[in-house]
Amino acid sequence: MKKNMGGSDRTIRIILALGVGALYYFNVITGTLAYVLLALAAIFVLTSFVSFCPLYTLFGINTCKVKN
């Protein structure tokens, strides 16, 4: 897998995931919506750690500045 995510993209995804986690922790979101958003947050964290987003590959997006 080639990296296709830049540093700012990764940071934004981590912040969004932390925000969703905080909303769930403080019971702002509940039920099915909470579980869907938590799953999305987990995907954001995973893709941030590996610097690869499969959807970026499908759409031909590359925010990584380093050539592989």
Side-chain angles (χ1 to χ4, degrees):
M1 291 184 303
K2 292 184 179 181
K3 292 183 179 182
N4 63 1
M5 288 177 56
S8 60
D9 192 16
R10 293 172 56 201
T11 303
I12 291 169
R13 286 174 182 245
I14 293 288
I15 291 170
L16 287 174
L18 288 173
V20 168
L23 289 174
Y24 180 73
Y25 180 77
F26 292 114
N27 292 322
V28 175
I29 55 174
T30 58
T32 305
L33 175 64
Y35 294 128
V36 169
L37 290 178
L38 285 172
L40 187 63
I43 291 169
F44 277 179
V45 170
L46 178 66
T47 57
S48 293
F49 284 140
V50 296
S51 298
F52 178 77
C53 179
L55 287 178
Y56 280 8
T57 304
L58 291 175
F59 294 115
I61 300 171
N62 186 355
T63 60
C64 185
K65 295 182 188 237
V66 178
K67 295 279 185 180
N68 289 339

